Amino acid sequence: MARRTNELTIEELSVVNTTKVVKEIDFKTALSLFVDDCEIRNLRPQTIQYYKNELSVFYKILKEQDIILSMDTIAKDHIKRNVILYMKEKGLQTVSINTRLRAIRAFFNFLHREKYIKDNPLNDIKLLKDRRKVVETFTKEQLQKLFNQPNLRSFVGVRDYTFMLLLLETGVRVSELQGVCVQDILWNESKLHIRNTKTYKERLVPIQLKMKNQLQKYIQIRGVMETDSLFVTLDGEPMSKRQFQNRVTYYGKQADMNSVRCSCHTFRHTFAKLSVKNGAGIFELQQILGHTSMEMVRVYVNLFSDDVMDKHKTFSPLINLNFRM
């Protein structure tokens, strides 16, 4: 075998200078690398599970169309035609498509950033435009119906009555409620310490005398247990997010409330509505609700503030017109 020359050819130099590190990375390997990166960045378990679920469905969508490609050969057209249009044809709602696209984008952004793929197929692909729906909230009459449902002669009834009151009093997310422990109630300060937050930023939420009194009654009935979780099952286990949601749904059905979605998150929206109507400002709402941006808080203020309604009485175009009515 002849001795090779030491100087590299133009073709060999192009191999050295290429930015592509891994060739033909398959989905399973890519997903494993992405999940490892999520773990390193200390993302919430719920967020990591969301990525796993949505990306598994993404790969399933491609397989259903007999598209079995390595991640570095998936192109923008695959995303447009074989993912977005495919989901639309299957009748998925815009919000569901956008939820999946966010996960796919995070996945390919990671692969491109770490140079596992040369081109990012999600570049210039935007989320689908969606109509912003009116935020659903409970009316005072509906709240009365809901709170009339729990059987206050039972442990489950007192527990459910208490956690629904706490949802209404604080506007916390159900995932945050799930993480509340007995010692998180700061009795002397009249505050609730929210630790298990979506943003990883712990916060203190005020609670008033009525809420403190109800919590004291519930804790007395709850008794001493091995778990520190505030809300527990009959078996003494911490309640799950699904169990909180199922109880609210159950009481909604019991109250025959079909005109509004009976969910823990509807309590959050209702807290925002009633707080705005009672004079809460945008910064107080942001702090209590734990929003990182003002966008959703502004939506609440714009939707529920009586200021616009009151001022419209003075600037309505019909005021000085003499049309026959």
Side-chain angles (χ1 to χ4, degrees):
M1 183 176 177
R3 189 184 188 198
R4 66 175 299 151
T5 59
N6 187 39
E7 190 172 342
L8 297 179
T9 64
I10 293 175
E11 289 79 11
E12 289 168 335
L13 281 171
S14 68
V15 173
V16 173
N17 294 327
T18 185
T19 59
K20 191 175 179 181
V21 178
V22 179
K23 288 187 177 181
E24 296 193 356
I25 183 171
D26 61 77
F27 173 75
K28 186 176 179 181
T29 302
L31 181 60
S32 178
L33 290 166
F34 176 61
V35 169
D36 286 346
D37 181 69
C38 292
E39 297 278 5
I40 291 168
R41 290 188 287 129
N42 201 31
L43 297 189
R44 294 192 313 152
Q46 298 95 318
T47 303
I48 295 174
Q49 191 58 51
Y50 149 69
Y51 283 140
K52 286 180 179 179
N53 294 344
E54 296 299 341
L55 291 170
S56 296
V57 175
F58 158 68
Y59 190 60
K60 182 182 176 184
I61 286 172
L62 294 179
K63 284 182 69 176
E64 286 175 356
Q65 300 168 80
D66 295 322
I67 300 172
I68 309 297
L69 299 170
S70 60
M71 294 301 99
D72 54 319
T73 52
I74 291 179
K76 188 178 296 186
D77 200 52
H78 290 120
I79 303 298
K80 286 182 176 179
R81 294 181 180 277
N82 303 108
V83 178
I84 296 176
L85 285 179
Y86 183 82
M87 288 192 289
K88 285 178 70 71
E89 288 167 1
K90 288 288 184 180
L92 265 72
Q93 293 184 354
T94 300
V95 64
S96 300
I97 295 174
N98 284 339
T99 297
R100 191 154 296 147
L101 279 177
R102 288 187 182 95
I104 298 169
R105 175 178 290 166
F107 178 57
F108 279 101
N109 283 349
F110 161 76
L111 294 177
H112 184 252
R113 184 177 69 247
E114 297 299 322
K115 298 183 173 60
Y116 291 112
I117 59 175
K118 184 178 180 181
D119 298 311
N120 187 347
L122 269 291
N123 275 350
D124 303 324
I125 290 185
K126 298 179 180 179
L127 299 178
L128 278 60
K129 288 187 177 180
D130 195 12
R131 294 181 183 273
R132 185 182 287 277
K133 296 179 180 178
V134 173
V135 176
E136 280 195 306
T137 61
F138 296 123
T139 64
K140 290 183 179 180
E141 291 75 17
Q142 288 169 335
L143 285 173
Q144 189 67 56
K145 278 187 177 182
L146 269 180
F147 284 109
N148 282 342
Q149 299 311 309
N151 176 11
L152 298 184
R153 297 178 64 84
S154 69
F155 170 76
V156 167
V158 174
R159 179 201 66 191
D160 294 351
Y161 182 83
T162 306
F163 89 66
M164 289 196 299
L165 273 181
L166 197 59
L167 287 172
L168 185 62
E169 168 80 337
T170 62
V172 295
R173 302 175 178 92
V174 64
S175 58
E176 296 170 338
L177 180 67
Q178 180 191 13
V180 173
C181 295
V182 175
Q183 59 267 32
D184 291 331
I185 305 171
L186 309 180
W187 299 103
N188 292 334
E189 300 176 42
S190 297
K191 291 177 181 176
L192 189 67
H193 191 169
I194 307 298
R195 302 176 189 272
N196 188 37
T197 65
K198 183 179 180 181
T199 60
Y200 278 88
K201 295 179 181 177
E202 296 182 7
R203 67 186 190 277
L204 297 175
V205 176
I207 54 175
Q208 303 307 317
L209 184 59
K210 285 184 179 180
M211 189 71 249
K212 287 168 63 177
N213 288 341
Q214 182 59 36
L215 283 169
Q216 285 172 342
K217 292 177 185 177
Y218 164 69
I219 290 173
Q220 188 172 349
I221 295 169
R222 174 190 180 277
V224 178
M225 293 188 168
E226 290 184 7
T227 179
D228 290 330
S229 293
L230 178 58
F231 294 106
V232 295
T233 66
L234 286 172
D235 297 318
E237 297 295 325
M239 285 183 68
S240 67
K241 284 173 58 178
R242 177 63 61 85
Q243 286 170 323
F244 281 115
Q245 181 56 58
N246 286 346
R247 297 309 295 168
V248 176
T249 302
Y250 169 76
Y251 291 127
K253 289 180 180 177
Q254 290 292 102
D256 197 26
M257 287 168 51
N258 302 314
S259 60
V260 64
R261 180 170 175 251
C262 289
S263 72
C264 294
H265 211 69
T266 305
F267 273 108
R268 183 169 167 84
H269 292 323
T270 305
F271 163 82
K273 177 182 76 172
L274 297 179
S275 297
V276 168
K277 286 186 170 295
N278 289 335
I282 191 167
F283 294 107
E284 291 96 331
L285 268 185
Q286 183 189 27
Q287 185 175 351
I288 293 174
L289 291 170
H291 284 297
T292 53
S293 74
M294 287 288 189
E295 181 183 359
M296 192 62 207
V297 184
R298 287 195 181 97
V299 170
Y300 288 138
V301 173
N302 290 338
L303 274 177
F304 304 130
S305 176
D306 289 328
D307 288 349
V308 174
M309 298 293 292
D310 292 338
K311 289 179 180 177
H312 184 260
K313 295 174 184 177
T314 64
F315 63 68
S316 168
L318 298 185
I319 290 176
N320 296 316
L321 294 178
N322 295 318
F323 293 154
R324 286 188 300 171
M325 297 293 187

